[in-house]
Amino acid sequence: MEQLKQKIREQGVVLSDQVLKVDAFLNHQIDPVLMQQIGREFARRFRDQRIDKIVTIEASGIAPALMTALELGVPVIFARKHRSLTLTDNLLSASVYSFTKQVESTVAISGSHLAAGDRVLVIDDFLANGQAALGLASIIRQAGAEIVGIGIVIEKSFQPGRQELEKRGYRVESLARIQALRDGQVSFL
Ligand code: G4P
Ligand code: NA
Ligand code: NA
């Protein structure tokens, strides 16, 4: 997606050979016009599928997931990373290990919002090792729902996430695929 790549070139900051900072439009400040274009692009790529719901994970997955949901006319559910006073009934959860942060955490969704047979599109902002997406996939399967695909805003293709997801049979659509972060420069696949 050209507008996204342009934005990454202009406003992305290469923090290391592993990490790209995009706080200017995705992870802290959010560019609503870009998010709308992202939503339209995910909707276009998955138009061949019947989709009942979108599932993402807080916090940074919510903006692109919401815009995609608006385009497709379906609800969006975000998995929570922290205990909530009201999220108590019928909890479905998965343990997610973050290689980036080297911590194990639990993510949860109330089963009340996912029904057996629902066709679910997973959306997230980054794909690195794929652990967040696999956690969401586990929760969706626990509900008896089906994953029709995984939409990623920025894929770091030099990390194993896509491979991990594809080897489990999931269709992955990434809007920007980064081949390398080197010498402060982003190169796309
Ligand atoms: P994985 O799910 O693909 O295995 O990724 P990992 O655990 O390594 O990622 C942990 C967090 O770091 C996630 O955000 C993920 O989106 C983010 N992340 C991974 N690589 C990059 C990167 O190169 N740049 C940026 N900006 N983020 C990256 P999170 O902790 O869930 O935070 P948030 O959703 O509240 O933003
Ligand atoms: Na993130
Ligand atoms: Na995320």
Side-chain angles (χ1 to χ4, degrees), residues 52-105:
D52 299 312
K53 266 161 203 175
I54 292 181
V55 164
T56 188
I57 181 166
E58 64 174 342
S60 300
I62 295 175
L66 180 64
M67 298 316 289
T68 309
L70 191 60
E71 283 298 317
L72 293 172
V74 299
V76 52
I77 307 160
F78 64 94
R80 289 186 179 265
K81 294 173 177 168
H82 305 285
R83 296 204 159 278
S84 150
L85 191 63
T86 55
L87 183 69
T88 49
D89 58 319
N90 187 16
L91 269 194
L92 305 172
S93 65
S95 173
V96 173
Y97 180 74
S98 169
F99 290 96
T100 308
K101 297 178 173 171
Q102 307 231 307
V103 290
E104 183 101 25
S105 60

Side-chain angles (χ1 to χ4, degrees), residues 7 24-25 29-39 63 67:
K7 196 80 169 177
F25 60 92
Q29 176 169 253
I30 297 173
D31 180 335
V33 174
L34 180 68
M35 288 309 132
Q36 187 174 48
Q37 293 167 332
I38 284 170
M67 298 316 289

Side-chain angles (χ1 to χ4, degrees), residues 15 18-23 26-27 57-62 81 96-101 103 124-134 154 156 158-159 161 181:
L15 288 187
Q18 303 290 313
V19 179
L20 173 71
K21 179 170 171 168
V22 287
D23 278 17
L26 181 57
N27 289 144
I57 181 166
E58 64 174 342
S60 300
I62 295 175
K81 294 173 177 168
V96 173
Y97 180 74
S98 169
F99 290 96
T100 308
K101 297 178 173 171
V103 290
D124 206 358
D125 58 335
F126 266 89
L127 178 59
N129 294 294
Q131 297 304 302
L134 288 174
I154 303 176
K156 292 189 289 181
F158 54 89
Q159 290 182 308
L181 299 169

Side-chain angles (χ1 to χ4, degrees), residues 145-166:
E146 189 183 335
I147 297 135
V148 305
I150 299 173
I152 299 293
V153 180
I154 303 176
E155 170 187 318
K156 292 189 289 181
S157 308
F158 54 89
Q159 290 182 308
R162 170 181 283 267
Q163 233 176 303
E164 292 298 318
L165 299 177
E166 284 183 338

